[in-house]
Every structure is written in structure tokens, then in C-alpha cells.
Amino acid sequence: MTLTWLVLAVLALAAVGYVMGRSRAMASAGGEIRALHSLPRYYGWNVALTVLTPAFGLMALWLLIQPVFIDARISSQLPDAAVSETTTRSLVMSDVRRVAEGLGQIGASKPESDPDEEYLSDLKSRLGGAGVALASDIDPAVYLAAERYRAGTAIGASLMWVAVLAVAVGGFAVSYLLTNKDFRARNTVERGILLVLIAAASIAILTTLGIILSMLFETRHFFADHPWQDFFLGTVWSPDFRGDSQLAILPLLWGTLYISLIALLVAVPIGLFAAIYLSEYATPRVRALAKPAIEVLAGIPTIVYGLFALITIGPMLRDYFAQPLGLGDSSSSVMTAGLVMGIMLIPFVSSLSDDIINAVPQSLRDGSYGLGATQSETIRQVIIPAALPGIVGAILLAASRAIGETMIVVLGAGAAAAQFDRGIGELVNPFEAMTTVTVKIVSQLTGDTDFASPETLVAFALGLTLFVITLGLNVLALWIVRRYREQYE
Amino acid sequence: MNDMRLIQRTVDMHETKIRASGVDVFYGDNHAIKDVSVYIEDKTVTAFIGPSGCGKSTFLRCLNRMNDTIPICRVTGKITLDDEDIYDPKVDPVQLRAKVGMVFQKPNPFPKSIYDNVAYGPRIHGLAGDKSELDEIVEKSLRRAALWGEVKDRLAEPGTGLSGGQQQRLCIARAVATAPEVLLMDEPCSALDPIATAQVEELIDELKQNYSVVIVTHSMQQAARVSQKTAFFHLGNLVEYGETGKIFTNPEDSRTESYITGRIG
Ligand SMILES: Nc1ncnc2c1ncn2[C@@H]1O[C@H](COP(=O)(O)OP(=O)(O)OP(=O)(O)O)[C@@H](O)[C@H]1O
Ligand SMILES: [Mg+2]
């Protein structure tokens, strides 16, 4: 709540700054706009931005750093005795944070004397009543740490108020005093906007970096506990939370690639042909109806596709293909998931390709028709080659989606990893149940587990590998596109 | 004005290749061509002249049904090629365009190699029996379009990488390679220097031996140099049509005279 007030206060100050900066500039020019270097609103914006940018920048930094700082301090003050053998310091610290948060919620005030057992068990039930459930009794050391944590947070918040307001007022004062008719407010605002844009771009890049780093970090933990040979070269996926798991990525990767391949085999031809029909043959009226109709497919949530796979496509494939052909009798299969995923991807391929084909200039079509080429000759020999880089991009985008898809696989292909030891016949049988990397990431992380055993940490290794694969796919796409550009432009 | 001496050349009588009668073209509500009747002779160069926007390109595009590709365009009237109505439902526009080739106002090379650009038509129509025959057609067409010397060492490079004038000649080579009976050329020299222009005009002269050529041009000198017949268009009307010599020296219509003198004189 106090944070909201602080934000509002800074915003209000900026608004006041806008009005005052503007009128000061006007006054300095004697009310004559042409005597000003910039339009009056730029002077207003200059003051407002000088109030906002440093104040909000400081606030963001503060909010990022303060918890880390307090955490480190409290953690170092925590006596070793409070960390019993069954837990770790970071787990105790998470208890401390929860107690501190709970104390804030129930508004408990600090008791006069040191807390005794009775007080602590009473506190535990009060915290439970407020929704903060604790597994064990509250250790006195934890309680003290929590109190300190609370106090530190409160002091930090007050300090932040003071600092942010000081920066805001300071910015106000400086920019207000600088405002006069010769001040180049327009250029300053321009630079301010540039800064804001750069900040936005950096946030996007830093977030990506942060995601990669955190994955890398957890993956390192995993490989410290589990041999990498087993992960990359092993052929068996059988996690066992009592230890001695075999965690090989190969069976999962095989499932991912196989299902994605079938999905692309469905989506690419259908999507591409649909795009060619829509952009080259369809009359404007048909196009106006058909294009949105196809794009509706893109708006269906994947879980609904999953249900479709589970109750319609799966049983149908089993009854009409798998069982008559003697290829298996499970309704969860690679084919089911691949087919349904392919349907999901059709609008991606078709709508992107359609835009790309439409962007091919009419003059190329005219040139081909003018030489006596038919429509399909023109499409095959002129339009598709001209649009190819874009189409390849669309296909790889669809591939990335297929590789990352989870819901359809769970409901369509099941959650059993491929088994390499059963022989190649079962591996390539499209009517066999199989699962993918993403599904296993979810299943390894669900449930009541701490992120310490190899069985859960493997999720990060899986995620990182998947990331590297999709990254490689994108690089490949860029490379293909560039090669074609060189050749054809 | 030296070119004006050309009017003295003898004019042979030729068969009529294309005959248009009462042609109207509409782009939506815009009446772009108004009741135009004209005949185009075989083995003759016909020039279309007129101010910008008067409908020269539009009329030219009617002659090989390129206007079919513009949805809002509507053509009425009758146009025959060798006494066959080209707007008859029986006629296949694709075959028609193989016979009536076209070089467009804006160069539009395909995003393919120079070689493939020229080989495009011969491949589609199966004009070459084997690779060496195709090579021969490509080389001959590029030579005729005065481009061979500049591109003979870079046939595998993209046609879109050529300069504007080279692209224009590439498009001419591409059209010539298909061996059409009639060649429609929409301002084929607009981006060419005097030397290349002279070479293209030589090509037109040579094509005239066997084919019928229709050329749109904004250069009066060019019209006078290369054509035997000239048609003057103004605001969608065909104002005057006749022997080039007569149009340029002794026009019947005052609009023709003011246009020609305004441009040349
Ligand atoms: N694709 C089109 N859609 C709508 N109107 C068009 C189209 N092409 C041409 N027009 C119209 O038809 C008329 C004649 O155009 P056209 O291109 O035939 O002129 P032009 O004589 O070739 O001119 P220029 O010498 O500038 O090339 C113009 O009024 C033009 O606006
Ligand atoms: Mg034109």
C-alpha cells in the first residue's frame, strides 16, 4: 500500500512539474511562443521526466536490492544451532521470511520479554489462522530472525520513501530552475525518450540473460549430483525419488522430435496450400470469409485441442487404424498428438505464409503471365521462390511451437517415455504411446518436492537442452533466410 | 529534325495482325479507354504516343489480356488476333500471351539468376530440346537485347542485382526468348542510355522482319525512327492513327499537332 502512495506522490509531483515548467517557460518568454526555443509542452515534459525517470529508476533498484541485502544480513546472523541437520540454511531462511510476513499480516507487536514456548505455540496457531501454515514449531532463533527481518524491511521502506522523494524533488528543482526561454527543452526531452527506449530494450535482453543464467545455475547443480553421461548418452528414463534414477534425455527427445515431425508433416502442406489458395485463387469474398475462419483455429486454447485428441482422435485412430493393422491398442499415441498438434499449427503456417505470398509484388506475377505462364507455373516458379525465406521462417516458427507444446502431448500421447530397449519397431510405431521433454519437465516439478534432488533438478537440464535446440533451430532459420537473400536480391 | 526524313521511306502493305473495334476499358468507374478502334499490321512497328495517363499502357495490356489480372478492370468491344476473337471464352489467355509477348513499363526481373530469367519462357513452352539448345536461345536473346557483353560472365547471378537499365534489357531478352508473334513493349527504353537505346531500336527493326511490334514511347524521335504506324492517344481517346510520316509532318487533328510540336519543337 505504501508503495502505491509513493508512486502516486511521484506522479503527482511530475504532473505539478509539467504545469509549472510550462508556465515558467511561457513567463520567461513574455507569453510569446515564438520567443521560446521549443514548444511550451516540451518544457513541461522536461520537468516531468526529470522528476519521474530518476525517481522510478531508484525505486526499481531499491526494490530489487533491498530483499537480497536484508536476506544476506539476517542469514549471517542466524546461529548455526538454528539450522538442524535435516534442513539447510536457505530452507530456514524461507521459514524466517514466511514468519516475518505472517507477523506483518496479523499485526503482532513485539512482546516485552523474550518469547517463551507458550507464546511461540500460540503464535503458530495465530499464524495458521491467517493462512501461514508452518510445518514445525517456531524455533526461538527463527522467531528473533523474523522480527529482525520485519524491522529491517520497515526501515528499508521508510528509507526508500525518503530517498525516492528526495530524488524526485531534487530533479524537480534542478529542471525547474533550468527552465527559461533559451533552454533547449526539445533536445533534452528527445534524449530522455531515448533513455526510456534503451531501458526497455535492456530489460528485454537482461530478462533473457537472467532466464538463461538461472537455468544454467540449476543445471550445474543437477550435473553435480548426476553423471552427465547418463543424461546425454543414456537410453532409459526412469526417475525414482528413492534414488538411483536413470535420467536420460534421449527417450524424451525422441518423443519430442517424432511428435513434432508428424505435426509439421500435417501442418506445413495443408497450411501452405491453404495460404496459396487464399492469396492466389480465392475471390475477395471467399478470402474475407475463409481467412478469419482458419485463424479461429489459432485462438483455441491448447487444452481444448488436448481434449479433442483424448476423446475423439485418439479412440478413432485406435479403432480404425491401430487395431485393424495390429499396431497397438492404446488411444494415446504419437499419431494422435502429432495429428492434433498439426491441426493447431495450420493457422500459424497459413496465415504467415499468406502474408508473405501477398507481399510478393504483382509485377512479378505480371511478368510471368506476360510470358504465357499458367497460374500454377507462376506460383511454383516465381512466387514460392520469391517468398521462400519467409515461408521457411514460418515453418521454423511452427516447429518451435511444436517442440514446446505440452498440453496436447499429455492428453494425446500420454506420459510414458519411449523405451529404447524394446526395439526399433516400437520406437517408430506411430501408434505407440510416448511423451516429450516438456511433459516430463512438468511432471518432475509437480508435487511436494524441494529443488534439491536430481529427480527435480533434471527439469532444468531438460529445459536448457530444449532451449539450446530451439535456439539452434532459429539460428538455422536465420542462416537459410540470409543465404536466399544473398542469392535472390 | 533529321529523323523526319524517314517519312520518305516506302510503306509496304501488310496483312492485319490485330484488329480492335469499339474497345472500352473501365477501372471501376474510371473510363480509361473510350471506343478505340485500331488495326495493327504484321511485320510492322506501331508506336503508341500520348501524354501520361492517357491510357497507352491500358490499351496495350488489352492486346494480350493482361488486364484480366486486375480485378476491377472491365474490357468491352472486340479484339481479334489473326481474325480470332481473343476475348472469346474458348480462347486460353495463357496461350494468347505466349503468342503476344510483353515488356512491361517497370522492369520486373524474377528473383532468379540472369540465365533462369531468360530461360523461363523457353522452359515453360518447351522451346529447347536440350541444354545446349537452351544455352543458345539464352545467348541469342541476350545478344539481341544488347546485354550479352555485360552479363556473359555472371549468368548465375541474380537478375535483380542488375542496374535499372540492365534489368530493362533483361526483360526484353526474356520476352524475345519466348519467340512471340507480336511483341508489346511499354516504354522499353525509358531507363536506357543512347547507346543501349540504339541497340534496342536495332533489335526492334530486326524483329520487324518476322513479327509485329507495338511500342509505347514518350520520345517522339524514337517513334519517328522505329515505327511505320503511329497512334496518338489523348484522355482515353484514339485521336489519330496512320502512317508515322504523315502523323509527324501533317497531322489532321490539332491536338496531335500541339502534342508533337510541344514535345519536339
Ligand atoms: N491498375 C489500375 N487500377 C486503376 N486505375 C488504373 C490502373 N492502371 C491505370 N489506371 C488508370 O487508367 C488511366 C490510364 O492509365 P495508363 O497506365 O494506361 O496510362 P499511360 O498512358 O500508360 O500513362 P504513362 O505514360 O504515364 O505510362 C489512368 O487514369 C490511370 O489512373
Ligand atoms: Mg504507361
Side-chain angles (χ1 to χ4, degrees):
Chain A
M1 201 58 207
T2 55
L3 194 65
T4 321
W5 283 114
L6 182 56
V7 170
L8 285 179
V10 173
L11 283 178
L13 198 62
V16 173
Y18 179 87
V19 175
M20 284 178 61
R22 202 189 130 104
S23 55
R24 181 177 161 100
M26 285 298 274
S28 81
E32 180 64 43
I33 287 187
R34 266 174 300 174
L36 288 169
H37 171 269
S38 316
L39 288 175
R41 63 164 182 274
Y42 280 110
Y43 293 92
W45 274 116
N46 177 42
V47 178
L49 283 176
T50 329
V51 170
L52 286 178
T53 320
F56 281 150
L58 179 69
M59 198 189 294
L61 268 182
W62 197 293
L63 289 175
L64 279 177
I65 292 172
Q66 178 181 310
V68 180
F69 182 74
I70 294 181
D71 230 58
R73 279 196 54 152
I74 304 291
S75 171
S76 68
Q77 286 172 1
L78 206 61
D80 286 339
V83 184
S84 67
E85 279 175 9
T86 52
T87 59
T88 64
R89 193 168 278 267
S90 67
L91 284 178
V92 176
M93 274 311 291
S94 82
D95 268 356
V96 170
R97 278 194 297 271
R98 289 176 65 194
V99 173
E101 198 179 313
L103 287 175
Q105 270 175 27
I106 60 176
S109 55
K110 204 172 174 178
E112 304 292 311
S113 57
D114 271 0
D116 51 10
E117 296 252 321
E118 196 183 334
Y119 179 82
L120 285 178
S121 67
D122 175 47
L123 185 67
K124 181 182 177 216
S125 60
R126 277 167 66 201
L127 286 177
V132 183
L134 293 165
S136 57
D137 283 342
I138 304 173
D139 188 295
V142 169
Y143 173 76
L144 283 179
E147 279 293 357
R148 275 206 298 280
Y149 194 95
R150 239 184 106 195
T153 310
I155 293 173
S158 327
L159 280 180
M160 182 174 79
W161 259 88
V162 175
V164 168
L165 277 186
V167 166
V169 171
F172 186 108
V174 170
S175 57
Y176 183 73
L177 291 177
L178 276 177
T179 301
N180 67 54
K181 70 178 172 45
D182 293 325
F183 180 67
R184 300 183 169 205
R186 200 172 169 207
N187 310 33
T188 318
V189 169
E190 200 68 21
R191 268 202 301 282
I193 288 173
L194 178 69
L195 275 183
V196 171
L197 297 182
I198 290 178
S202 327
I203 287 176
I205 294 169
L206 287 179
T207 316
T208 317
L209 219 65
I211 292 174
I212 297 174
L213 281 182
S214 79
M215 299 276 281
L216 264 178
F217 194 69
E218 300 292 346
T219 306
R220 239 191 45 206
H221 281 189
F222 169 68
F223 283 122
D225 278 2
H226 196 85
W228 63 269
Q229 291 93 334
D230 179 52
F231 181 72
F232 285 116
L233 305 175
T235 52
V236 180
W237 174 267
S238 70
D240 185 342
F241 279 104
R242 279 156 307 184
D244 202 22
S245 310
Q246 283 181 289
L247 302 170
I249 190 173
L250 233 50
L252 307 182
L253 211 53
W254 170 250
T256 294
L257 295 182
Y258 198 6
I259 293 178
S260 304
L261 178 77
I262 292 180
L264 288 181
L265 285 181
V266 173
V268 171
I270 296 182
L272 200 56
F273 291 166
I276 290 174
Y277 170 71
L278 283 182
S279 58
E280 297 292 317
Y281 290 91
T283 60
R285 272 191 43 206
V286 172
R287 190 180 149 82
L289 284 176
K291 199 166 150 88
I294 292 178
E295 277 163 7
V296 163
L297 280 179
I300 300 176
T302 55
I303 184 76
V304 176
Y305 280 110
L307 292 175
F308 179 58
L310 184 71
I311 58 178
T312 312
I313 299 287
M316 213 174 75
L317 285 178
R318 180 193 57 200
D319 295 346
Y320 296 106
F321 291 95
Q323 280 176 342
L325 293 172
L327 285 172
D329 40 29
S330 126
S331 69
S332 299
S333 68
V334 171
M335 200 52 145
T336 310
L339 222 65
V340 174
M341 207 191 278
I343 296 171
M344 176 194 85
L345 292 177
I346 289 173
F348 281 89
V349 178
S350 81
S351 129
L352 281 172
S353 310
D354 178 53
D355 290 345
I356 293 156
I357 291 175
N358 266 323
V360 173
Q362 179 65 27
S363 68
L364 287 187
R365 297 184 178 87
D366 284 351
S368 176
Y369 295 143
L371 292 169
T374 64
Q375 199 158 7
S376 74
E377 283 164 349
T378 304
I379 291 167
R380 260 183 294 127
Q381 306 197 20
V382 176
I383 295 176
I384 297 289
L388 199 61
I391 292 175
V392 171
I395 291 173
L396 286 170
L397 198 74
S400 297
R401 288 267 324 198
I403 289 176
E405 178 51 42
T406 311
M407 248 33 242
I408 295 178
V409 181
V410 177
L411 296 179
Q419 289 177 316
F420 276 39
D421 49 357
R422 295 245 193 107
I424 189 88
E426 206 155 290
L427 270 187
V428 298
N429 179 357
F431 294 102
E432 200 64 42
M434 223 176 261
T435 201
T436 61
V437 177
T438 50
V439 171
K440 280 305 171 196
I441 292 180
V442 175
S443 67
Q444 291 312 100
L445 290 182
T446 29
D448 175 48
T449 45
D450 55 75
F451 291 146
S453 64
E455 285 74 25
T456 45
L457 287 174
V458 70
F460 295 97
L462 291 174
L464 193 64
T465 316
L466 213 54
F467 172 76
V468 170
I469 290 175
T470 34
L471 188 73
L473 220 55
N474 287 347
V475 172
L476 181 73
L478 281 180
W479 182 75
I480 291 175
V481 169
R482 185 135 345 125
R483 235 182 79 105
Y484 260 96
R485 285 267 155 78
E486 265 166 21
Q487 209 174 334
Y488 283 152
E489 259 175 17
Chain B
M1 288 304 95
N2 296 343
D3 299 322
M4 290 299 111
R5 267 187 275 116
L6 292 177
I7 53 167
Q8 303 305 338
R9 67 196 154 189
T10 53
V11 179
D12 308 325
M13 284 307 291
H14 292 295
E15 286 170 33
T16 299
K17 187 73 180 171
I18 296 179
R19 183 185 294 278
S21 34
V23 173
D24 285 273
V25 182
F26 303 85
Y27 290 110
D29 292 332
N30 179 5
H31 197 170
I33 291 287
K34 294 161 191 154
D35 191 26
V36 168
S37 300
V38 77
Y39 59 94
I40 286 161
E41 291 177 356
D42 203 9
K43 303 189 195 334
T44 305
V45 179
T46 308
F48 286 180
I49 59 171
S52 187
C54 66
K56 305 180 295 295
S57 301
T58 300
F59 187 67
L60 200 67
R61 290 164 63 96
C62 293
L63 303 182
N64 69 344
R65 292 187 59 175
M66 276 310 289
N67 283 328
D68 290 13
T69 64
I70 301 173
I72 58 165
C73 185
R74 198 157 52 82
V75 180
T76 62
K78 189 171 177 186
I79 301 178
T80 59
L81 172 73
D82 294 331
D83 294 325
E84 196 186 357
D85 186 355
I86 64 171
Y87 280 89
D88 191 282
K90 284 204 305 282
V91 170
D92 178 6
V94 170
Q95 265 170 355
L96 172 72
R97 290 180 199 135
K99 277 195 273 186
V100 184
M102 182 151 200
V103 177
F104 293 84
Q105 184 164 359
K106 254 188 10 214
N108 53 354
F110 300 133
K112 296 174 178 293
S113 72
I114 294 171
Y115 184 95
D116 287 341
N117 260 284
V118 182
Y120 187 84
R123 278 188 179 135
I124 282 180
H125 302 295
L127 300 184
D130 54 23
K131 177 86 173 85
S132 66
E133 228 174 294
L134 190 60
D135 288 347
E136 213 171 289
I137 293 178
V138 169
E139 178 177 343
K140 193 168 147 227
S141 308
L142 284 168
R143 275 189 197 285
R144 295 172 89 179
L147 190 59
W148 177 251
E150 285 157 74
V151 300
K152 64 173 184 293
D153 299 322
R154 43 191 284 210
L155 290 175
E157 282 174 34
T160 38
L162 296 173
S163 80
Q166 288 172 330
Q167 289 189 9
Q168 209 160 36
R169 279 174 282 157
L170 180 62
C171 294
I172 294 172
R174 193 173 71 181
V176 171
T178 317
E181 298 170 19
V182 180
L183 187 59
L184 310 174
M185 304 175 102
D186 200 345
E187 297 183 38
C189 302
S190 61
L192 301 189
D193 62 35
I195 299 169
T197 303
Q199 283 166 319
V200 170
E201 287 177 6
E202 218 168 273
L203 165 70
I204 293 172
D205 231 37
E206 180 195 325
L207 290 175
K208 182 185 82 183
Q209 311 302 320
N210 300 307
Y211 311 124
S212 161
V213 179
V214 184
I215 174 171
V216 172
T217 176
H218 281 293
S219 156
M220 297 305 117
Q221 287 95 331
Q222 183 169 56
R225 278 196 302 266
V226 300
S227 71
Q228 289 79 53
K229 294 269 183 175
T230 297
F232 172 61
F233 287 83
H234 185 68
L235 296 176
N237 297 302
L238 176 65
V239 174
E240 197 165 345
Y241 176 60
E243 303 294 336
T244 299
K246 179 155 182 310
I247 297 261
F248 276 90
T249 51
N250 189 18
E252 271 166 24
D253 198 290
S254 60
R255 284 172 291 178
T256 317
E257 179 163 22
S258 60
Y259 180 70
I260 290 170
T261 51
R263 280 301 180 104
I264 314 176

